[in-house]
Amino acid sequence: MNQIVFISFQYFRNCFVMHQMPSSKCDEINCIWKQLERIIVHMDRAKYTIDIAIYVMDSSAIGSALRRATERGVRVRLICFKNYQSLKTKYGDCISLRRLKPVIKQPREMTMHHKFCIIDGYIAKRSIFVEKTSALTVCMTGSMNWISLPRSCDNFLITSAPKIAKRLELEFERIWKLCKA
């Protein structure tokens, strides 16, 4: 499975009114809310793990999906940079959260700017579960922050390609350990 989406503020403006009316159907192919729904559908299918590295996230719909996942017994880990405290206050009771502090180097600081998610990852399934699993590994990545109101043009890739998934999992584990240090 491979899907790529392009999101633009223009699409958001075009369909904003449409989304305010409950009986209306939005036909914009690159609508931000449709893309957030795609993320949520995959999260709702998660059986074992959801690992997220994201610069900023403020979507309450995604937060609710993460809460539902933990209620099903899915291990949810989230690394964020920008709004760590608000996420900890809102979801700290159900998901494992870590914040990677900026690496200070003169004259600029380096921030964790990733935006990716691995659901039921290959490495995670192998390390956590002994028996063979039927869960599909799904990765989501791109320039899109998971926010309710878009402010830019972005891209978003959903894939189940093993090479991409394994590489993203390794990067997530590397950052997760850095956050703990």
Side-chain angles (χ1 to χ4, degrees):
M1 168 200 36
N2 292 307
Q3 302 171 347
I4 185 117
V5 177
F6 295 97
I7 299 145
S8 128
F9 182 70
Q10 182 62 43
Y11 287 105
F12 175 75
R13 286 195 318 211
N14 290 350
C15 63
F16 181 79
V17 173
M18 191 67 66
H19 283 278
Q20 303 308 307
M21 302 179 318
S23 62
S24 299
K25 185 175 184 289
C26 177
D27 292 327
E28 291 287 353
I29 191 167
N30 295 326
C31 167
I32 184 71
W33 285 299
K34 281 188 178 181
Q35 305 329 313
L36 291 176
E37 286 172 13
R38 282 183 174 186
I39 293 170
I40 291 165
V41 163
H42 288 291
M43 289 180 173
D44 285 341
R45 291 180 186 158
K47 293 182 179 180
Y48 306 109
T49 62
I50 299 175
D51 291 330
I52 303 167
I54 193 96
Y55 177 71
V56 64
M57 184 187 98
D58 73 1
S59 169
S60 58
I62 290 177
S64 295
L66 295 176
R67 188 175 296 281
R68 287 192 303 275
T70 58
E71 290 167 357
R72 292 191 314 272
V74 174
R75 180 194 73 192
V76 178
R77 299 184 298 172
L78 189 141
I79 303 167
C80 69
F81 180 76
K82 194 162 185 182
N83 60 340
Y84 172 79
Q85 200 53 53
S86 64
L87 289 172
K88 188 157 182 70
T89 301
K90 222 171 176 182
Y91 306 108
D93 62 325
C94 66
I95 64 176
S96 299
L97 276 156
R98 290 192 181 165
R99 179 181 191 264
L100 185 61
K101 294 184 175 147
V103 178
I104 307 298
K105 301 254 184 195
Q106 294 299 335
R108 307 176 101 185
E109 70 178 34
M110 181 182 259
T111 60
M112 195 284 298
H113 204 249
H114 283 306
K115 296 151 183 106
F116 67 84
C117 173
I118 308 114
I119 297 174
D120 296 330
Y122 294 99
I123 298 168
K125 286 187 291 193
R126 192 173 65 231
S127 66
I128 296 173
F129 307 98
V130 179
E131 81 272 359
K132 264 199 151 164
T133 65
S134 61
L136 175 68
T137 296
V138 175
C139 295
M140 297 176 264
T141 188
S143 62
M144 183 178 87
N145 283 305
W146 296 359
I147 58 174
S148 301
L149 300 172
R151 295 173 188 93
S152 56
C153 296
D154 289 299
N155 64 74
F156 188 66
L157 170 71
I158 302 171
T159 184
S160 56
K163 283 184 178 181
I164 294 171
K166 289 174 184 172
R167 182 61 187 99
L168 288 174
E169 282 184 277
L170 289 172
E171 178 65 1
F172 183 89
E173 290 300 332
R174 183 187 73 78
I175 298 170
W176 188 255
K177 287 175 186 167
L178 275 175
C179 292
K180 193 175 181 182

